[in-house]
Amino acid sequence: MGDKLKRIKLKDILSWAYEVLKNANVDSPRLSAELIISHALNISRLELLLSLNNTIDLNLYTKIVSLINQRALGKPVAYIIGKKEFYGREFFVNQSVLIPRPETETLIDTVKNIFRKEDNFLFLDIGTGSGNIAITIGCEFPNSIGIATDYSIHALFVAYKNAKIYKLTNRLLFICTDIARSIKEHSFDLVLSNPPYIGYKNFPSLSREIRCFEPYRALVGGYMGWEFYPSLISYSFKVLKKGGILIIEIDELVAKNVKKFLNNHKKWYNVQVIKDLSGKDRVLFAKRGE
Ligand SMILES: C[S@@+](CC[C@H](N)C(=O)[O-])C[C@H]1O[C@@H](n2cnc3c(N)ncnc32)[C@H](O)[C@@H]1O
């Protein structure tokens, strides 16, 4: 085979990838193709678009074909390229952790409305996954100290790797436990959590991307979806100081039940539901009473 035949134009690979992904009905086929190809070539998307007339060899081509085929089968781009942006920072992800969602940034905005950048406070992040919430709080509040829990040791490996990237291992401690078991009582100023809150009954209607690739226990909170919250709220009450703040993610399907549970508990005050940027109920805020 002559040298020319062993090389393939990027323009042709991009059109091929786009066609494959479009026919496979994946979301944003063009964007997916660009992200995956630029990842395989270790260049930015812009560099890719500026070098479409360049050629690559058969080895790289084979690698790209394999990655594009994974995307065509529904694997999310974040798992293929191993990263996802959250609150302006890049987080390493793999299939042991939920892919951080933009709506979860509402939790961070809520904390920023309460604490000042220079405040000292101790926080607990329950169900940390990739560590996106705990690490973002650690970065945004340089005097904060945090503990992050997850029942999954594999998720904690990912979170620890991200904490190392952001040089936070001296201010963030990771503990493998169920919710907040074995965490010291009455010691935290703030508890944060984005718990699993999808109902098992709604699981079959999730997209293939979520259903087949993201960790089941990061998603499903019980048959109805709200079942994780009573334990989460009870543990939070135990570990928070008096006047400590609870900030947890919810969705519209569970908001009413969780708010009712908090109000019935009678030991919480200032209970509020905060909406995300698309106007949906997203965060539940409460203060711990006596
Ligand atoms: C919805 S994901 C949130 C991950 C991450 N905090 C985020 O916002 O993207 C829920 C996380 O809770 C963890 N989890 C599920 N059940 C748990 C339990 N009983 N105790 C501790 N963590 C749990 C899952 O492993 C998963 O990482």
Side-chain angles (χ1 to χ4, degrees), residues 98-100 104 125 127-130 132-133 149-152 155 177-179 194-196 217-218 228:
L98 189 92
I99 300 168
T104 302
D125 173 25
T128 197
S130 63
N132 54 323
I133 295 175
T149 69
D150 207 292
Y151 88 95
S152 159
T177 190
D178 177 31
I179 307 183
N194 172 17
R217 280 194 64 185
F228 197 88

Side-chain angles (χ1 to χ4, degrees), residues 160-206:
Y160 188 74
K161 182 170 171 165
N162 283 316
K164 258 168 70 182
I165 293 171
Y166 289 102
K167 302 194 173 21
L168 282 175
T169 50
N170 57 342
R171 287 196 286 121
L172 268 186
L173 178 70
F174 296 95
I175 299 182
C176 191
T177 190
D178 177 31
I179 307 183
R181 209 180 288 273
S182 73
I183 302 290
K184 195 167 179 287
E185 295 185 9
H186 314 305
S187 40
F188 291 87
D189 302 293
L190 168 68
V191 170
L192 293 154
S193 183
N194 172 17
Y197 57 70
I198 290 169
Y200 172 69
K201 67 185 180 79
N202 299 324
F203 188 71
S205 60
L206 295 177

Side-chain angles (χ1 to χ4, degrees), residues 221-279:
Y223 184 74
M224 300 299 286
W226 52 261
E227 289 89 336
F228 197 88
Y229 289 91
S231 311
L232 174 65
I233 290 166
S234 303
Y235 271 113
S236 301
F237 189 83
K238 258 195 182 127
V239 300
L240 277 171
K241 291 175 183 166
K242 193 178 131 195
I245 290 163
L246 175 66
I247 295 177
I248 50 182
E249 183 163 327
I250 47 164
D251 81 355
E252 291 185 311
L253 296 176
V254 300
K256 221 171 100 194
N257 273 326
V258 180
K259 199 171 169 199
K260 206 159 88 191
F261 180 82
L262 267 177
N263 283 328
N264 287 347
H265 208 264
K266 290 196 171 56
K267 289 172 178 171
W268 297 93
Y269 64 100
N270 210 347
V271 178
Q272 294 170 42
V273 173
I274 297 160
K275 292 190 186 295
D276 63 21
L277 290 177
S278 57

